[in-house]
Amino acid sequence: MILAAGLASCRKAPLVSCDAAQPLFAVYPFPVGVAINPAELSPSSEYQRLATQHFNSVTPENIFKPSYLHPEAGQYDWADADQLAAFCRAHNQRLHGHTLIWHQQLPGWMANFTGSPAAWEAMFRDHIQTICRHFQGQVSSWDVVNEAFAADGTLRSTIWSQHLGSSYLEKAFRYAHNADPDALLFYNDYDLESNPVKRRAVLAWLQTMQLRGVPVQGLGLQMHISIVSPENTQLAEALRDAQQTGLKLHLSEIDVAINPLGQAITPTPELLQRQADKLAFLVRTYRELPRAQQFGITFWGLSDGNTWQRSYYHRDDYPLLFDDNYQPKPAFCLLAHPR
Ligand code: G3I
């Protein structure tokens, strides 16, 4: 038995210890994933050791996004992505592609594209299909469209909606399916657990897609949550609503902020325990879903030192399973040893 003990880190993480010998994914009947930044991978790193020991599913945090894969018109850069795909194969990890169509992290040429409606349609289709074909057999599933709905439940205005109309969503799924009929295709969005208006709009749209025979097999609920919000009752209600679709459900970008207001804080045992309890409730509730709908859960980063939240929100936060020194936190311990 290996006992992993967290040392007080330079970022003030309190001491915690639990048996971290068993892979986290072995505790659950569904895949447990992590968003990976390949720049952090190296055979001697703790990052790589933990990423391969505890997670059997991988989502590329950034490198499968359009600005990385398709930096110039008609030119694709596969090098980093292929390397990550090989890494996942070597470590028996499922690779979930994120993301084909989004309004962020677009290459300049795509954001500034001009042309006729037919030219837009061809650019959109070629982008989706070239990427799906390239990774056929290596990527099990795709976030085909990411964050297409606004907070009020209307379609977000993006280059895609402006130039292709609202049917771009449906077309994206059809094009992706034609290019890789075996890949599971997901719609992915945030705040679905905390904003019932947005959730209802997304679920209604998904129902329309299902009735129209559009090849969409899954819904990604990102789950960027905090110890303050949403309430557990809201989390349970969101999963109940999502279950009604019959689709596969992916908790696709989990992190639990302990400092949503951006105050000067230290990660006290009390805050980290609240984080663990919130996460444990979420995972327990997910576990109660029908097995066929459990695509899996994915953490949006491995350790607190890798979280997007610090740079994005310019705040100190500690939202992940491992601390800045790659030591397990109470949240990891509770998921690894559920009560
Ligand atoms: O790669 C450049 C690097 O060359 C440059 O030196 C550096 C300087 O800032 O920036 C680097 O790019 C950053 C990139 O992450 C890679 O680290 C971008 O500035 C930064 O904006 C980008 O942030 C990513 C963000 O999406 C973009 O919106 C986060 O890492 C990533 O975690 C985040 O992920 C999104 C999901 O895709 C969709 N759901 C929300 C989630 C969190 O925002």
Side-chain angles (χ1 to χ4, degrees):
M1 180 206 277
I2 296 171
L3 205 62
L7 303 171
S9 82
C10 51
R11 285 194 82 116
K12 306 158 281 185
L15 190 76
V16 55
S17 69
C18 68
D19 179 356
Q22 179 176 222
L24 183 60
F25 67 75
V27 178
Y28 293 94
F30 43 78
V32 178
V34 61
I36 287 289
N37 172 5
E40 305 286 337
L41 291 172
S42 76
S44 59
S45 66
E46 272 300 278
Y47 183 92
Q48 177 160 327
R49 189 182 71 73
L50 294 173
T52 51
Q53 182 184 352
H54 291 297
F55 302 94
N56 58 353
S57 180
V58 162
T59 303
E61 183 176 359
N62 284 299
I63 65 159
F64 275 45
K65 291 171 179 172
S67 61
Y68 290 81
L69 283 186
H70 198 175
E72 300 294 339
Q75 284 179 29
Y76 293 83
D77 186 348
W78 307 118
D80 291 347
D82 283 351
Q83 234 179 339
L84 184 62
F87 179 89
C88 292
R89 258 197 315 282
H91 294 94
N92 293 319
Q93 291 170 309
R94 177 179 74 182
L95 179 55
H96 175 71
H98 172 86
T99 172
L100 294 167
I101 295 296
W102 195 21
H103 58 281
Q104 290 186 31
Q105 287 175 296
L106 294 169
W109 73 268
M110 198 180 260
N112 300 313
F113 188 81
T114 53
S116 64
W120 268 94
E121 176 90 24
M123 183 270 274
F124 174 77
R125 186 194 59 228
D126 291 350
H127 170 78
I128 293 171
Q129 296 201 320
T130 305
I131 295 175
C132 286
R133 285 198 185 105
H134 180 86
F135 291 108
Q136 193 165 12
Q138 305 186 68
V139 164
S140 69
S141 45
W142 282 101
D143 288 333
V144 176
V145 181
N146 192 41
E147 303 174 3
F149 284 82
D152 64 0
T154 60
L155 202 61
R156 186 193 292 275
S157 175
T158 67
I159 59 165
W160 308 116
S161 66
Q162 287 156 20
H163 294 280
L164 298 163
S166 58
S167 65
Y168 88 88
L169 281 168
E170 169 171 350
K171 285 177 177 166
F173 283 89
R174 291 195 189 279
Y175 287 145
H177 180 70
N178 284 342
D180 184 356
D182 295 329
L184 293 172
L185 305 182
F186 282 74
Y187 175 75
N188 191 50
D189 214 328
Y190 63 89
D191 279 355
L192 301 179
E193 65 287 347
S194 56
N195 178 346
V197 172
K198 181 172 179 179
R199 179 169 73 243
R200 276 194 287 274
V202 169
L203 296 181
W205 167 76
L206 282 168
Q207 190 175 34
T208 310
M209 293 301 101
Q210 289 170 299
L211 290 171
R212 291 168 58 79
V214 176
V216 48
Q217 289 89 29
L219 170 63
L221 300 109
Q222 294 184 7
M223 293 289 170
H224 296 291
I225 61 176
S226 83
I227 56 173
V228 181
S229 148
E231 302 282 348
N232 286 353
T233 49
Q234 290 175 282
L235 288 174
E237 192 182 338
L239 289 189
R240 240 190 343 265
D241 284 358
Q243 184 190 336
Q244 302 307 311
T245 61
L247 293 169
K248 293 193 181 298
L249 302 177
H250 185 196
L251 305 188
S252 56
E253 302 184 14
I254 303 172
D255 45 26
V256 184
I258 64 170
N259 188 21
L261 299 180
Q263 293 156 335
I265 62 153
T266 51
T268 59
E270 190 253 333
L271 287 173
L272 295 182
Q273 192 54 48
R274 285 173 64 191
Q275 177 182 58
D277 291 341
K278 175 71 82 176
L279 192 55
F281 177 84
L282 176 64
V283 175
R284 218 169 36 241
T285 309
Y286 182 82
R287 198 174 184 161
E288 286 162 10
L289 293 171
R291 180 66 193 96
Q293 287 184 265
Q294 292 168 333
F295 180 74
I297 63 174
T298 296
F299 293 87
W300 206 242
L302 182 73
S303 79
D304 290 339
N306 309 123
T307 178
W308 65 286
Q309 298 212 1
R310 289 183 183 169
S311 54
Y312 188 85
Y313 292 119
H314 304 291
R315 72 174 193 231
D316 209 14
D317 215 320
Y318 304 82
L320 293 166
L321 297 181
F322 297 93
D323 73 14
D324 282 79
N325 294 328
Y326 297 108
Q327 299 298 320
K329 294 165 59 187
F332 172 87
C333 292
L334 193 49
L335 288 198
H337 305 279
R339 288 184 202 126

